Amino acid sequence: GAVVSQHPSRVICKSGTSVKIECRSLDFQATTMFWYRQFPKQSLMLMATSNEGSKATYEQGVEKDKFLINHASLTLSTLTVTSAHPEDSSFYICSAREQTELYFGPGTRLTVT
Amino acid sequence: GIQVEQSPPDLILQEGANSTLRCNFSDSVNNLQWFHQNPWGQLINLFYIPSGTKQNGRLSATTVATERYSLLYISSSQTTDSGVYFCAVGGGGGNKLTFGTGTQLKVEL
């Protein structure tokens, strides 16, 4: 199957700082990527759809200015959590579609202190 | 938006036992996938199955789209099968998937 990578796998930052998470499709091109968020023992919630060369589409209730998404190439999307606060601590997972299936990265665990 | 419910929420099995996990969804879909989330959080693709039946080793899945449900069968369970199983569905013209509530499976020796 297709491979999606994420970096970093784990990050700890101080409250008020910004953190960038990278998502790459390694062996295929993805015009669309998706960013999900997962709290402990809960399901995955879609945050936004990242579109190559255009603006991201955010789900209802997700702050566009806090979660900045850039999809600059067919293999790379980035999520920047700006002015992070402890309540932003979560597991962030990206995904990309290869033909009919969605494939997921290994996730990034963000802890804001 | 579409609602996706999974049952049971938790399941404990003895190694070697069989199980059936269910996924109900509230609207027509043109995409349905089953995933296994391992203890490290990685989602592993099990099946892409918007309709019909598929089998892969000890796992098989069936989706009855007209009745809006899908089933995942695990036979001869092993401890490595432990983790959370999610179904996720997509409908309409979009590519995005909506995830179900998940089934937490624990397989004991």
Side-chain angles (χ1 to χ4, degrees), chain B residues 6-34:
Chain B
Q6 292 183 239
S7 60
D10 298 280
L11 185 59
I12 300 175
L13 298 175
Q14 294 294 311
E15 195 172 45
N18 303 327
S19 62
T20 301
L21 282 57
R22 186 178 180 101
C23 171
N24 291 329
F25 41 95
S26 61
D27 205 346
S28 300
V29 300
N30 53 25
N31 186 355
L32 190 148
Q33 290 185 242
W34 282 97

PDB file of all heavy atoms in Angstrom, chain B residues 6-34:
ATOM      1  N   GLN B   6     -20.424   2.260  15.851  1.00  0.00           N
ATOM      2  CA  GLN B   6     -19.836   0.938  15.851  1.00  0.00           C
ATOM      3  C   GLN B   6     -20.214   0.190  17.113  1.00  0.00           C
ATOM      4  O   GLN B   6     -20.388   0.788  18.178  1.00  0.00           O
ATOM      5  CB  GLN B   6     -18.311   1.026  15.739  1.00  0.00           C
ATOM      6  CG  GLN B   6     -17.834   1.533  14.388  1.00  0.00           C
ATOM      7  CD  GLN B   6     -16.325   1.535  14.295  1.00  0.00           C
ATOM      8  OE1 GLN B   6     -15.714   2.571  14.078  1.00  0.00           O
ATOM      9  NE2 GLN B   6     -15.733   0.365  14.456  1.00  0.00           N
ATOM     10  N   SER B   7     -20.321  -1.126  16.985  1.00  0.00           N
ATOM     11  CA  SER B   7     -20.609  -1.952  18.161  1.00  0.00           C
ATOM     12  C   SER B   7     -19.871  -3.278  18.042  1.00  0.00           C
ATOM     13  O   SER B   7     -19.596  -3.741  16.920  1.00  0.00           O
ATOM     14  CB  SER B   7     -22.124  -2.180  18.270  1.00  0.00           C
ATOM     15  OG  SER B   7     -22.626  -2.839  17.118  1.00  0.00           O
ATOM     16  N   PRO B   8     -19.507  -3.898  19.191  1.00  0.00           N
ATOM     17  CA  PRO B   8     -19.616  -3.309  20.521  1.00  0.00           C
ATOM     18  C   PRO B   8     -18.517  -2.257  20.730  1.00  0.00           C
ATOM     19  O   PRO B   8     -17.549  -2.229  19.985  1.00  0.00           O
ATOM     20  CB  PRO B   8     -19.383  -4.507  21.442  1.00  0.00           C
ATOM     21  CG  PRO B   8     -18.449  -5.370  20.657  1.00  0.00           C
ATOM     22  CD  PRO B   8     -18.854  -5.217  19.220  1.00  0.00           C
ATOM     23  N   PRO B   9     -18.617  -1.412  21.726  1.00  0.00           N
ATOM     24  CA  PRO B   9     -17.550  -0.448  21.997  1.00  0.00           C
ATOM     25  C   PRO B   9     -16.295  -1.102  22.555  1.00  0.00           C
ATOM     26  O   PRO B   9     -15.191  -0.625  22.286  1.00  0.00           O
ATOM     27  CB  PRO B   9     -18.170   0.520  23.009  1.00  0.00           C
ATOM     28  CG  PRO B   9     -19.319  -0.216  23.587  1.00  0.00           C
ATOM     29  CD  PRO B   9     -19.800  -1.158  22.530  1.00  0.00           C
ATOM     30  N   ASP B  10     -16.472  -2.163  23.308  1.00  0.00           N
ATOM     31  CA  ASP B  10     -15.348  -2.895  23.892  1.00  0.00           C
ATOM     32  C   ASP B  10     -15.599  -4.385  23.735  1.00  0.00           C
ATOM     33  O   ASP B  10     -16.732  -4.854  23.841  1.00  0.00           O
ATOM     34  CB  ASP B  10     -15.189  -2.554  25.379  1.00  0.00           C
ATOM     35  CG  ASP B  10     -14.891  -1.084  25.599  1.00  0.00           C
ATOM     36  OD1 ASP B  10     -13.723  -0.713  25.433  1.00  0.00           O
ATOM     37  OD2 ASP B  10     -15.815  -0.321  25.907  1.00  0.00           O
ATOM     38  N   LEU B  11     -14.496  -5.113  23.558  1.00  0.00           N
ATOM     39  CA  LEU B  11     -14.609  -6.553  23.362  1.00  0.00           C
ATOM     40  C   LEU B  11     -13.347  -7.226  23.887  1.00  0.00           C
ATOM     41  O   LEU B  11     -12.238  -6.799  23.542  1.00  0.00           O
ATOM     42  CB  LEU B  11     -14.790  -6.860  21.874  1.00  0.00           C
ATOM     43  CG  LEU B  11     -15.043  -8.298  21.442  1.00  0.00           C
ATOM     44  CD1 LEU B  11     -16.299  -8.849  22.095  1.00  0.00           C
ATOM     45  CD2 LEU B  11     -15.147  -8.363  19.924  1.00  0.00           C
ATOM     46  N   ILE B  12     -13.542  -8.244  24.720  1.00  0.00           N
ATOM     47  CA  ILE B  12     -12.413  -9.029  25.221  1.00  0.00           C
ATOM     48  C   ILE B  12     -12.593 -10.454  24.751  1.00  0.00           C
ATOM     49  O   ILE B  12     -13.657 -11.049  24.938  1.00  0.00           O
ATOM     50  CB  ILE B  12     -12.341  -8.981  26.764  1.00  0.00           C
ATOM     51  CG1 ILE B  12     -12.157  -7.540  27.236  1.00  0.00           C
ATOM     52  CG2 ILE B  12     -11.188  -9.846  27.266  1.00  0.00           C
ATOM     53  CD1 ILE B  12     -12.183  -7.379  28.753  1.00  0.00           C
ATOM     54  N   LEU B  13     -11.569 -10.999  24.133  1.00  0.00           N
ATOM     55  CA  LEU B  13     -11.614 -12.347  23.592  1.00  0.00           C
ATOM     56  C   LEU B  13     -10.457 -13.185  24.122  1.00  0.00           C
ATOM     57  O   LEU B  13      -9.385 -12.651  24.419  1.00  0.00           O
ATOM     58  CB  LEU B  13     -11.501 -12.325  22.065  1.00  0.00           C
ATOM     59  CG  LEU B  13     -12.580 -11.620  21.252  1.00  0.00           C
ATOM     60  CD1 LEU B  13     -12.177 -11.620  19.784  1.00  0.00           C
ATOM     61  CD2 LEU B  13     -13.928 -12.275  21.438  1.00  0.00           C
ATOM     62  N   GLN B  14     -10.697 -14.488  24.174  1.00  0.00           N
ATOM     63  CA  GLN B  14      -9.602 -15.415  24.399  1.00  0.00           C
ATOM     64  C   GLN B  14      -8.952 -15.702  23.056  1.00  0.00           C
ATOM     65  O   GLN B  14      -9.628 -15.760  22.011  1.00  0.00           O
ATOM     66  CB  GLN B  14     -10.121 -16.705  25.018  1.00  0.00           C
ATOM     67  CG  GLN B  14     -10.694 -16.539  26.421  1.00  0.00           C
ATOM     68  CD  GLN B  14      -9.625 -16.137  27.415  1.00  0.00           C
ATOM     69  OE1 GLN B  14      -8.561 -16.751  27.462  1.00  0.00           O
ATOM     70  NE2 GLN B  14      -9.896 -15.110  28.210  1.00  0.00           N
ATOM     71  N   GLU B  15      -7.667 -15.893  23.071  1.00  0.00           N
ATOM     72  CA  GLU B  15      -6.951 -16.204  21.837  1.00  0.00           C
ATOM     73  C   GLU B  15      -7.591 -17.423  21.163  1.00  0.00           C
ATOM     74  O   GLU B  15      -7.905 -18.414  21.822  1.00  0.00           O
ATOM     75  CB  GLU B  15      -5.481 -16.483  22.140  1.00  0.00           C
ATOM     76  CG  GLU B  15      -4.605 -16.463  20.902  1.00  0.00           C
ATOM     77  CD  GLU B  15      -3.132 -16.558  21.249  1.00  0.00           C
ATOM     78  OE1 GLU B  15      -2.782 -17.399  22.088  1.00  0.00           O
ATOM     79  OE2 GLU B  15      -2.338 -15.772  20.679  1.00  0.00           O
ATOM     80  N   GLY B  16      -7.789 -17.310  19.860  1.00  0.00           N
ATOM     81  CA  GLY B  16      -8.405 -18.398  19.118  1.00  0.00           C
ATOM     82  C   GLY B  16      -9.883 -18.207  18.850  1.00  0.00           C
ATOM     83  O   GLY B  16     -10.459 -18.894  17.989  1.00  0.00           O
ATOM     84  N   ALA B  17     -10.505 -17.276  19.565  1.00  0.00           N
ATOM     85  CA  ALA B  17     -11.941 -17.041  19.389  1.00  0.00           C
ATOM     86  C   ALA B  17     -12.209 -16.221  18.136  1.00  0.00           C
ATOM     87  O   ALA B  17     -11.317 -15.558  17.596  1.00  0.00           O
ATOM     88  CB  ALA B  17     -12.501 -16.330  20.613  1.00  0.00           C
ATOM     89  N   ASN B  18     -13.468 -16.272  17.702  1.00  0.00           N
ATOM     90  CA  ASN B  18     -13.916 -15.479  16.548  1.00  0.00           C
ATOM     91  C   ASN B  18     -14.754 -14.309  17.033  1.00  0.00           C
ATOM     92  O   ASN B  18     -15.344 -14.360  18.120  1.00  0.00           O
ATOM     93  CB  ASN B  18     -14.751 -16.343  15.603  1.00  0.00           C
ATOM     94  CG  ASN B  18     -14.009 -17.570  15.125  1.00  0.00           C
ATOM     95  OD1 ASN B  18     -12.793 -17.551  14.953  1.00  0.00           O
ATOM     96  ND2 ASN B  18     -14.736 -18.661  14.931  1.00  0.00           N
ATOM     97  N   SER B  19     -14.828 -13.274  16.215  1.00  0.00           N
ATOM     98  CA  SER B  19     -15.653 -12.119  16.603  1.00  0.00           C
ATOM     99  C   SER B  19     -16.201 -11.411  15.371  1.00  0.00           C
ATOM    100  O   SER B  19     -15.662 -11.541  14.267  1.00  0.00           O
ATOM    101  CB  SER B  19     -14.844 -11.122  17.434  1.00  0.00           C
ATOM    102  OG  SER B  19     -13.769 -10.607  16.674  1.00  0.00           O
ATOM    103  N   THR B  20     -17.273 -10.650  15.610  1.00  0.00           N
ATOM    104  CA  THR B  20     -17.887  -9.846  14.561  1.00  0.00           C
ATOM    105  C   THR B  20     -18.063  -8.424  15.066  1.00  0.00           C
ATOM    106  O   THR B  20     -18.674  -8.203  16.122  1.00  0.00           O
ATOM    107  CB  THR B  20     -19.268 -10.406  14.152  1.00  0.00           C
ATOM    108  OG1 THR B  20     -19.110 -11.741  13.688  1.00  0.00           O
ATOM    109  CG2 THR B  20     -19.874  -9.543  13.044  1.00  0.00           C
ATOM    110  N   LEU B  21     -17.524  -7.478  14.336  1.00  0.00           N
ATOM    111  CA  LEU B  21     -17.662  -6.065  14.666  1.00  0.00           C
ATOM    112  C   LEU B  21     -18.622  -5.438  13.656  1.00  0.00           C
ATOM    113  O   LEU B  21     -18.570  -5.749  12.463  1.00  0.00           O
ATOM    114  CB  LEU B  21     -16.304  -5.357  14.587  1.00  0.00           C
ATOM    115  CG  LEU B  21     -15.329  -5.537  15.753  1.00  0.00           C
ATOM    116  CD1 LEU B  21     -15.007  -6.999  16.017  1.00  0.00           C
ATOM    117  CD2 LEU B  21     -14.063  -4.744  15.504  1.00  0.00           C
ATOM    118  N   ARG B  22     -19.458  -4.519  14.144  1.00  0.00           N
ATOM    119  CA  ARG B  22     -20.481  -3.948  13.281  1.00  0.00           C
ATOM    120  C   ARG B  22     -20.303  -2.442  13.150  1.00  0.00           C
ATOM    121  O   ARG B  22     -19.906  -1.758  14.110  1.00  0.00           O
ATOM    122  CB  ARG B  22     -21.872  -4.243  13.826  1.00  0.00           C
ATOM    123  CG  ARG B  22     -23.018  -3.815  12.905  1.00  0.00           C
ATOM    124  CD  ARG B  22     -24.370  -4.185  13.471  1.00  0.00           C
ATOM    125  NE  ARG B  22     -25.459  -3.758  12.577  1.00  0.00           N
ATOM    126  CZ  ARG B  22     -26.099  -4.576  11.743  1.00  0.00           C
ATOM    127  NH1 ARG B  22     -25.784  -5.869  11.696  1.00  0.00           N
ATOM    128  NH2 ARG B  22     -27.058  -4.129  10.956  1.00  0.00           N
ATOM    129  N   CYS B  23     -20.658  -1.934  11.971  1.00  0.00           N
ATOM    130  CA  CYS B  23     -20.598  -0.498  11.672  1.00  0.00           C
ATOM    131  C   CYS B  23     -21.913  -0.110  10.997  1.00  0.00           C
ATOM    132  O   CYS B  23     -22.235  -0.641   9.923  1.00  0.00           O
ATOM    133  CB  CYS B  23     -19.412  -0.227  10.747  1.00  0.00           C
ATOM    134  SG  CYS B  23     -19.322   1.446  10.066  1.00  0.00           S
ATOM    135  N   ASN B  24     -22.651   0.778  11.628  1.00  0.00           N
ATOM    136  CA  ASN B  24     -23.902   1.296  11.050  1.00  0.00           C
ATOM    137  C   ASN B  24     -23.700   2.748  10.645  1.00  0.00           C
ATOM    138  O   ASN B  24     -23.080   3.519  11.389  1.00  0.00           O
ATOM    139  CB  ASN B  24     -25.042   1.229  12.069  1.00  0.00           C
ATOM    140  CG  ASN B  24     -25.463  -0.191  12.385  1.00  0.00           C
ATOM    141  OD1 ASN B  24     -25.375  -1.085  11.554  1.00  0.00           O
ATOM    142  ND2 ASN B  24     -25.924  -0.411  13.602  1.00  0.00           N
ATOM    143  N   PHE B  25     -24.224   3.123   9.498  1.00  0.00           N
ATOM    144  CA  PHE B  25     -24.091   4.502   9.053  1.00  0.00           C
ATOM    145  C   PHE B  25     -25.447   5.043   8.604  1.00  0.00           C
ATOM    146  O   PHE B  25     -26.340   4.276   8.209  1.00  0.00           O
ATOM    147  CB  PHE B  25     -23.040   4.659   7.945  1.00  0.00           C
ATOM    148  CG  PHE B  25     -23.037   3.576   6.912  1.00  0.00           C
ATOM    149  CD1 PHE B  25     -23.729   3.735   5.717  1.00  0.00           C
ATOM    150  CD2 PHE B  25     -22.324   2.406   7.120  1.00  0.00           C
ATOM    151  CE1 PHE B  25     -23.719   2.736   4.758  1.00  0.00           C
ATOM    152  CE2 PHE B  25     -22.302   1.398   6.159  1.00  0.00           C
ATOM    153  CZ  PHE B  25     -23.003   1.559   4.984  1.00  0.00           C
ATOM    154  N   SER B  26     -25.577   6.361   8.679  1.00  0.00           N
ATOM    155  CA  SER B  26     -26.903   6.983   8.594  1.00  0.00           C
ATOM    156  C   SER B  26     -27.322   7.421   7.193  1.00  0.00           C
ATOM    157  O   SER B  26     -28.464   7.841   6.996  1.00  0.00           O
ATOM    158  CB  SER B  26     -26.959   8.215   9.509  1.00  0.00           C
ATOM    159  OG  SER B  26     -26.001   9.179   9.100  1.00  0.00           O
ATOM    160  N   ASP B  27     -26.402   7.311   6.220  1.00  0.00           N
ATOM    161  CA  ASP B  27     -26.748   7.808   4.886  1.00  0.00           C
ATOM    162  C   ASP B  27     -26.017   6.975   3.841  1.00  0.00           C
ATOM    163  O   ASP B  27     -25.146   6.163   4.177  1.00  0.00           O
ATOM    164  CB  ASP B  27     -26.376   9.278   4.766  1.00  0.00           C
ATOM    165  CG  ASP B  27     -27.205  10.021   3.731  1.00  0.00           C
ATOM    166  OD1 ASP B  27     -27.891   9.357   2.900  1.00  0.00           O
ATOM    167  OD2 ASP B  27     -27.172  11.271   3.734  1.00  0.00           O
ATOM    168  N   SER B  28     -26.365   7.181   2.590  1.00  0.00           N
ATOM    169  CA  SER B  28     -25.705   6.462   1.502  1.00  0.00           C
ATOM    170  C   SER B  28     -24.225   6.836   1.456  1.00  0.00           C
ATOM    171  O   SER B  28     -23.857   7.986   1.680  1.00  0.00           O
ATOM    172  CB  SER B  28     -26.365   6.814   0.167  1.00  0.00           C
ATOM    173  OG  SER B  28     -27.723   6.466   0.178  1.00  0.00           O
ATOM    174  N   VAL B  29     -23.399   5.855   1.155  1.00  0.00           N
ATOM    175  CA  VAL B  29     -21.959   6.094   1.079  1.00  0.00           C
ATOM    176  C   VAL B  29     -21.414   5.515  -0.217  1.00  0.00           C
ATOM    177  O   VAL B  29     -21.968   4.569  -0.768  1.00  0.00           O
ATOM    178  CB  VAL B  29     -21.208   5.492   2.283  1.00  0.00           C
ATOM    179  CG1 VAL B  29     -21.707   6.103   3.587  1.00  0.00           C
ATOM    180  CG2 VAL B  29     -21.304   3.985   2.311  1.00  0.00           C
ATOM    181  N   ASN B  30     -20.319   6.101  -0.683  1.00  0.00           N
ATOM    182  CA  ASN B  30     -19.633   5.527  -1.834  1.00  0.00           C
ATOM    183  C   ASN B  30     -18.206   5.134  -1.478  1.00  0.00           C
ATOM    184  O   ASN B  30     -17.415   4.780  -2.356  1.00  0.00           O
ATOM    185  CB  ASN B  30     -19.657   6.487  -3.028  1.00  0.00           C
ATOM    186  CG  ASN B  30     -19.129   7.859  -2.670  1.00  0.00           C
ATOM    187  OD1 ASN B  30     -18.344   8.001  -1.740  1.00  0.00           O
ATOM    188  ND2 ASN B  30     -19.554   8.866  -3.414  1.00  0.00           N
ATOM    189  N   ASN B  31     -17.900   5.220  -0.197  1.00  0.00           N
ATOM    190  CA  ASN B  31     -16.577   4.829   0.273  1.00  0.00           C
ATOM    191  C   ASN B  31     -16.728   4.293   1.694  1.00  0.00           C
ATOM    192  O   ASN B  31     -17.398   4.912   2.538  1.00  0.00           O
ATOM    193  CB  ASN B  31     -15.643   6.038   0.262  1.00  0.00           C
ATOM    194  CG  ASN B  31     -14.209   5.664   0.592  1.00  0.00           C
ATOM    195  OD1 ASN B  31     -13.911   4.524   0.917  1.00  0.00           O
ATOM    196  ND2 ASN B  31     -13.319   6.635   0.500  1.00  0.00           N
ATOM    197  N   LEU B  32     -16.128   3.156   1.969  1.00  0.00           N
ATOM    198  CA  LEU B  32     -16.108   2.617   3.327  1.00  0.00           C
ATOM    199  C   LEU B  32     -14.798   1.879   3.507  1.00  0.00           C
ATOM    200  O   LEU B  32     -14.414   1.051   2.672  1.00  0.00           O
ATOM    201  CB  LEU B  32     -17.298   1.682   3.578  1.00  0.00           C
ATOM    202  CG  LEU B  32     -17.510   1.241   5.037  1.00  0.00           C
ATOM    203  CD1 LEU B  32     -18.998   1.026   5.332  1.00  0.00           C
ATOM    204  CD2 LEU B  32     -16.712   0.028   5.428  1.00  0.00           C
ATOM    205  N   GLN B  33     -14.099   2.217   4.565  1.00  0.00           N
ATOM    206  CA  GLN B  33     -12.844   1.555   4.858  1.00  0.00           C
ATOM    207  C   GLN B  33     -12.845   1.096   6.310  1.00  0.00           C
ATOM    208  O   GLN B  33     -13.427   1.750   7.186  1.00  0.00           O
ATOM    209  CB  GLN B  33     -11.641   2.499   4.634  1.00  0.00           C
ATOM    210  CG  GLN B  33     -11.386   2.826   3.178  1.00  0.00           C
ATOM    211  CD  GLN B  33     -10.133   3.666   2.993  1.00  0.00           C
ATOM    212  OE1 GLN B  33     -10.176   4.802   2.514  1.00  0.00           O
ATOM    213  NE2 GLN B  33      -8.991   3.109   3.367  1.00  0.00           N
ATOM    214  N   TRP B  34     -12.171  -0.022   6.569  1.00  0.00           N
ATOM    215  CA  TRP B  34     -11.923  -0.518   7.919  1.00  0.00           C
ATOM    216  C   TRP B  34     -10.432  -0.338   8.219  1.00  0.00           C
ATOM    217  O   TRP B  34      -9.578  -0.618   7.359  1.00  0.00           O
ATOM    218  CB  TRP B  34     -12.286  -1.994   8.041  1.00  0.00           C
ATOM    219  CG  TRP B  34     -13.748  -2.273   8.176  1.00  0.00           C
ATOM    220  CD1 TRP B  34     -14.630  -2.624   7.189  1.00  0.00           C
ATOM    221  CD2 TRP B  34     -14.510  -2.285   9.400  1.00  0.00           C
ATOM    222  NE1 TRP B  34     -15.893  -2.841   7.716  1.00  0.00           N
ATOM    223  CE2 TRP B  34     -15.844  -2.635   9.073  1.00  0.00           C
ATOM    224  CE3 TRP B  34     -14.204  -2.039  10.741  1.00  0.00           C
ATOM    225  CZ2 TRP B  34     -16.852  -2.731  10.028  1.00  0.00           C
ATOM    226  CZ3 TRP B  34     -15.203  -2.135  11.696  1.00  0.00           C
ATOM    227  CH2 TRP B  34     -16.519  -2.478  11.336  1.00  0.00           C
TER     228      TRP B  34
END
